[in-house]
């Protein structure tokens, strides 16, 4: 059993190591769910797992020990959690089998500790990535290829499950829209999709995507131009489109960079390596077309 447990945690660590754009928050005006941890305040609370992955803690302060909100069932560990500050959805996972597959149990509890309930089960859950109007969205490892992640939707009332995106995991949310891309472990280029939770349809925005995020009522994304593996470095153009993926517009035609970070209506953050392999961070003004060095602390991912 110890060996099987090591397989599971090895896979979990692998996911967080290679996932290109881990989700830090998922946004909806009516109910904001975010992946919660010791450093991130969700509503009035900080919600986190202890080092044993056995207990889920909650506190109103960033410091202090907090109190135990819930404990994993015997033989399981808490793998991921998401909350809007009122309700917490979390995943309990058992040991993996000889093929590295495992069963995940999706649970719900209120922040006051009441209403604990298991709402469903699913194979190989990696991360809870989003919530929209009674549906959870989850990234799950492929049973035959651990790096490959698919996105599933689970109804929180009846536990009904459906795969909604193949070879794509969610990286950002704006209301009914989800940004998603393959989890290849590579910086790029990668396909970029926007998924509409209302219609259940995914639209491919580009085949050669770099970083991407929602900003205001638009999607901003970097797109590789030419050979991404050129010795002289990668070249990007910065574009934007509507939340549905339409109305594409180029904001910057040519930026030399190793990779891009956050993109907004005003700025594009990017970095590259100098001759000593040090990361040099920049912020590019999309209006003035000028770049400026920024510290790593001020760089926005």
């Amino acid at each position: 059993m110890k060996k099987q447990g090591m397989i599971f945690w090895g896979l979990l660590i692998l996911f967080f190591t290679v996932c290109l754009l881990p989700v830090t928050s998922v946004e909806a005006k009516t109910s904001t769910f975010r992946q919660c941890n010791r450093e991130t305040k969700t509503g009035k609370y900080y919600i986190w797992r202890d080092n044993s992955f056995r207990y889920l803690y909650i506190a109103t302060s960033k410091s202090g020990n907090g109190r135990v909100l819930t404990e994993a069932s015997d033989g399981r560990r808490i793998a991921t959690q998401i909350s809007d500050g009122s309700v917490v959805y979390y995943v309990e996972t058992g040991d993996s089998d000889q093929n590295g597959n495992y069963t995940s149990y999706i649970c719900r509890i209120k922040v006051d500790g009441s209403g604990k309930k298991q709402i469903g089960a699913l194979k190989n859950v990696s991360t809870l990535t989003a919530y929209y109007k009674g549906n959870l969205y989850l990234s799950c490892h492929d049973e035959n290829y651990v790096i490959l992640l698919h996105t599933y939707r689970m109804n929180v009332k009846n536990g009904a499950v459906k795969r909604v995106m193949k070879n794509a995991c969610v990286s950002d949310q704006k209301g009914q829209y989800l940004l998603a891309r393959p989890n290849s472990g590579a910086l790029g280029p990668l396909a970029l999709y926007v998924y509409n939770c209302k219609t259940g349809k995914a639209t491919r925005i580009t085949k050669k995507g770099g970083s991407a995020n929602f900003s205001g009522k638009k999607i901003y994304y970097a797109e590789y131009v030419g050979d991404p593996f050129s010795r002289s470095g990668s070249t990007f153009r910065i574009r934007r489109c509507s939340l549905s993926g339409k109305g594409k517009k180029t904001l910057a035609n040519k930026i030399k960079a190793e990779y891009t970070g956050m993109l907004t209506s005003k700025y594009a953050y990017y970095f590259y390596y100098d001759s000593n392999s040090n990361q040099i961070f920049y912020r590019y003004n999309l209006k003035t077309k000028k770049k400026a060095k920024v510290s790593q602390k001020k760089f926005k991912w």
Side-chain angles (χ1 to χ4, degrees), residues 33 82 89-91 106-107 119 128-138 151-156 160 162:
F33 277 80
I82 194 171
Y89 291 97
Y90 62 99
V91 176
I106 293 76
C107 304
I119 63 174
L128 288 170
T129 58
Y131 175 94
Y132 183 75
K133 290 191 174 181
N135 287 304
L136 283 170
Y137 293 83
L138 313 92
T151 294
Y152 287 80
R153 181 184 67 208
M154 174 177 284
N155 185 297
V156 299
K162 180 181 179 180

Side-chain angles (χ1 to χ4, degrees), residues 211-225:
S211 66
N213 54 264
F214 294 108
S215 183
K217 296 182 179 181
K218 299 288 184 180
I219 297 170
Y220 290 82
Y221 62 99
E223 191 171 56
Y224 283 84
V225 179

Side-chain angles (χ1 to χ4, degrees), residues 25 49 54 68 113-114 120 131 184 200 204 211 251 278 294 301:
S25 67
R49 290 164 288 163
R54 179 73 177 173
V68 174
S114 67
Y131 175 94
S184 73
R204 188 175 66 196
S211 66
L251 304 176
N278 298 311
V294 295
W301 290 98

Side-chain angles (χ1 to χ4, degrees), residues 250-280:
T250 299
L251 304 176
N253 281 309
K254 191 175 182 181
I255 291 180
K256 283 283 189 179
E258 183 70 25
Y259 196 68
T260 54
M262 180 177 285
L263 309 169
T264 71
S265 61
K266 293 183 179 181
Y267 301 112
Y269 291 82
Y270 67 93
F271 70 88
Y272 61 77
Y273 294 99
D274 64 14
S275 58
N276 295 318
S277 297
N278 298 311
Q279 285 182 327
I280 309 299

Side-chain angles (χ1 to χ4, degrees), residues 34 41-45 84-85:
R34 65 181 69 244
K41 194 172 186 179
T42 306
K44 298 179 180 180
Y45 302 100
D84 64 346

Side-chain angles (χ1 to χ4, degrees), residues 186-190 224-235 257-258:
L187 285 178
L190 295 171
Y224 283 84
V225 179
D227 180 8
F229 306 108
S230 169
R231 289 186 177 181
S232 61
S234 301
T235 303
E258 183 70 25

